[in-house]
Amino acid sequence: MAEETIFSKIIRKEIPADVVYQDDLVTAFRDINPRASSHILIVPNKLIPTVNDIEADDELTMGRMFTVAKKLAQEDGIDADGYRLIVNCNAHGGQEVYHVHMHLVGGRPLGPMLLG
């Protein structure tokens, strides 16, 4: 079984966070160390450690992460100028918390995506 994460505790409201959205499938909250003026993490309420652990029955949840990202980008006023959605997988991909999460980052020009 997957190990409990800090995100699980945020989802259950056991530790404080600036939660901006929550429903039965996903929770979104502002990153405590933002990389831009708008930096929100969108996480499934179900603990899925990495992208490699996503199953077919998780497709609705993964889709919800994208529709919530769109909604939050609109609410933060970054949808017109643009934003970046980032999902890291495992150590080489830069994943630090082993609970799948999407970074919604925007509010300034982000430049080209780094590859390598």
Side-chain angles (χ1 to χ4, degrees):
M1 176 149 183
E3 288 194 32
E4 182 85 354
T5 70
I6 190 168
F7 294 167
S8 301
K9 294 176 182 181
I10 290 171
I11 292 163
R12 292 192 307 262
K13 297 181 174 25
E14 293 173 358
I15 59 174
D18 185 1
V19 175
V20 294
Y21 181 89
Q22 187 168 42
D23 66 20
D24 59 326
L25 295 177
V26 304
T27 299
F29 49 92
R30 297 205 181 271
D31 194 295
I32 60 169
N33 185 23
R35 303 296 172 102
S37 59
S38 183
H39 188 168
I40 297 170
L41 298 178
I42 304 166
V43 302
N45 294 340
K46 173 185 173 184
L47 175 50
I48 304 168
T50 75
V51 170
N52 294 335
D53 299 301
I54 295 171
E55 301 291 340
D57 57 347
D58 297 318
E59 289 180 8
L60 181 61
T61 299
M62 296 301 107
R64 180 73 52 85
M65 290 172 67
F66 279 89
T67 56
V68 168
K70 173 188 169 185
K71 172 186 176 4
L72 296 175
Q74 290 170 337
E75 289 178 2
D76 263 16
I78 62 171
D79 57 320
D81 286 335
Y83 52 93
R84 185 168 290 156
L85 299 174
I86 304 164
V87 178
N88 300 320
C89 183
N90 281 327
H92 284 194
Q95 187 173 3
E96 295 176 1
V97 177
Y98 284 82
H99 187 143
V100 167
H101 55 286
M102 174 186 289
H103 297 260
L104 165 62
V105 184
R108 66 172 174 80
L110 299 171
M113 189 171 75
L114 293 177
L115 295 175

